[in-house]
Amino acid sequence: MIMSIVCECFQVTEETIREAIRNGATTVEAVGDVTQAGTGCGGCQSRIEEIINEEKK
Ligand code: FES
């Protein structure tokens, strides 16, 4: 399985982010609290937002 890194700053994979969302982290901030993703340079935040919106479907 290919692990795609969403957050380069903390090497957080898409799967880790999806898991956090499924466990109740439904905002970019909450995902950051749980996984650190998005809490460095912030460059991946728009991608995190997209993933949240995908998971809400
Ligand atoms: S790439 Fe995610 S905070 Fe920098």
Side-chain angles (χ1 to χ4, degrees):
M1 182 185 165
I2 298 164
M3 291 303 232
S4 89
I5 301 289
V6 171
C7 181
E8 295 286 348
C9 291
F10 298 104
Q11 300 290 294
V12 184
T13 64
E14 180 170 336
E15 194 51 40
T16 297
I17 290 168
R18 287 187 188 274
E19 197 176 293
I21 296 163
R22 286 184 218 122
N23 287 328
T26 56
T27 63
V28 172
E29 192 181 28
V31 170
D33 286 345
V34 177
T35 69
Q36 287 191 295
T39 62
C41 73
C44 61
Q45 286 182 356
S46 62
R47 180 60 189 137
I48 295 169
E49 187 89 59
E50 276 178 22
I51 297 169
I52 290 168
N53 288 331
E54 284 172 26
E55 288 291 329
K56 278 180 184 167
K57 283 174 192 161

